[in-house]
Amino acid sequence: MQTASQRETNPFADPNTPTLEDVLALVPKIASLTTSQRAARASAVRTVGRAIGLPLSAIPAHPAFLRKRLGQIVPAKIGLKTQSWRNAVSLLRRTLTDLGFGVMPGRYLAPIADNWRPLWDALPQRPFKIALSRFLRYCSTQGISPSDVDEAAFTSFSEALERETLTKKPYIVQRDARRYWNLASDRFSGWPQVKVSVPDRRDRYSVPIEDFPISMAADFEAYREAMCGDRLSIEADFRQLRETSGDNAINALHRIASAAVRAGRDPIEFASIAEIVEPRTVKSALRFIQDRNGGERLKCFDTLLAHVLSAARRWVRADEVAIKELERLKRALNIDTYVMSESTERVLRDLDDPRTLRALINLPGQVFEELGRLEAIGRRDAVRAEIALAIAILTAAPIRPKNLASLSLDQHILWVGTGKTRKRHLRFSAAEVKNNVDLEFQIPERLDALLSIYLDRYRPLLIAEPNLFLFPGEGHGHKKPGLLSQQIGDLTQKRIGVRVTAHKFRAVAGKVLLDQDPMALEVARQVLGHKSVATTVSYYAPLQRDRAIALYDEALQAARRDDAGGS
């Protein structure tokens, strides 16, 4: 029953699985329905097709496929009200049941062809069958026999994965399929003796520190101690840095040296930091990095050059000619590190819709209300409360993900004032903040209420052993910033249709302020903790430009009205 279009767009589906195109054609034949009911059912089928974003002929009418795919759809993102979407899904399910498609076998994937079956049966259950299942099913639907497999077959498989709407991480699926194909070729007799390439996205140009002279590692350690050590025992003409800042400086110098080696220099040439910060070394390193990234200048160049200049001035004490050449290079590249990324700009433009922005702001309260109606709660419910509280904190206090994840009940959440004026505050010392600026936020009442509920009802379910962090992780530690940010993004994507990760809430805060008052740059600077208002101006320039154009258009419209009134 599978159509040509389905085979092309969804090459993993069982050829015997009906499609939504088949369902639409069969709706008029359901005798128990009235004319209006048939029209409603047909409309529901088309609505689901539009939501999935594929032709009806390419969508398997299989409960397993539809259940997963429809669970990923956010009604607001496709311009539907929640109830309208629920009605469409309900009507589709009733239609599938009426047609006998509602009780199909558990998997919609195509069966493995007979010529692949002996190889499949010879594989151990895990992890080979997990990694190779989709590839063997793809070959089965496409008529590719074991002897036909080559690099081109895996390339077409990778392209098919990109089109398959249920594969969340196609890169990982195709990478694992290639890797385990090669392993099967080595381990199992009768397996085709064809090896395929395995892609690797990891950055491999870093040269191990052991490949350089031992004196360079010693110089790195001495420089790090000068930056981060005890001020009373170390003579240095620059202020003490945090350990993470010292590590970043050393990593930047190591990266420059590695890139220079990859560009043709011998590691033996780098006996100390002095050789790394030479202008010719820096230029060859940046050229190498630029070439391997498609010839584009990268934001990291500004950071790398800043570390190089700092080391050249304060540690190496390079001559004036070298310093001026490095400064000239930094000016010539003219890289603005405070430019909004494309992904962040897309998020903010999605939030131009007042309904979407309102949904984001109200999301934590809605989640807590939903959880409050449950008679019994488990750890999964506590995690939902944890993520919702994190979003509420970021909305009220746009702090960085690292500071959010490491919030401590005894160090960062403090009571300030007495009597009726007593309020909880979030406070971070300059040493804990990226740009060494003290941050303090008064916790508003709505957030304070959610915080109290979380601490009383949900946080105890997340603690395995004594822990003072607001968002506890394993043991005595806190939840990893990356994991918390990912969970925040997952929840916002699911509930409002826009993926707002933890760091993007800082951009959202600036947008909300500047949308209300385009001149509130100093207020935005203070809320975000920028050292200079120039940073705020530079970062929000695209949004400010759009707002300026809108204000200009409003001024033109007002002038036209005035002219019409005068005439």
Side-chain angles (χ1 to χ4, degrees), residues 2-11 58 138 142 159-160 163:
Q2 189 185 49
T3 65
S5 178
Q6 181 183 337
R7 285 194 300 272
E8 178 183 351
T9 310
N10 201 322
Y138 171 78
Q142 300 302 305
E159 294 171 351
R163 300 193 302 267

Side-chain angles (χ1 to χ4, degrees), residues 175 291 473 494:
R175 181 200 64 191
D291 289 345
K494 180 179 180 181

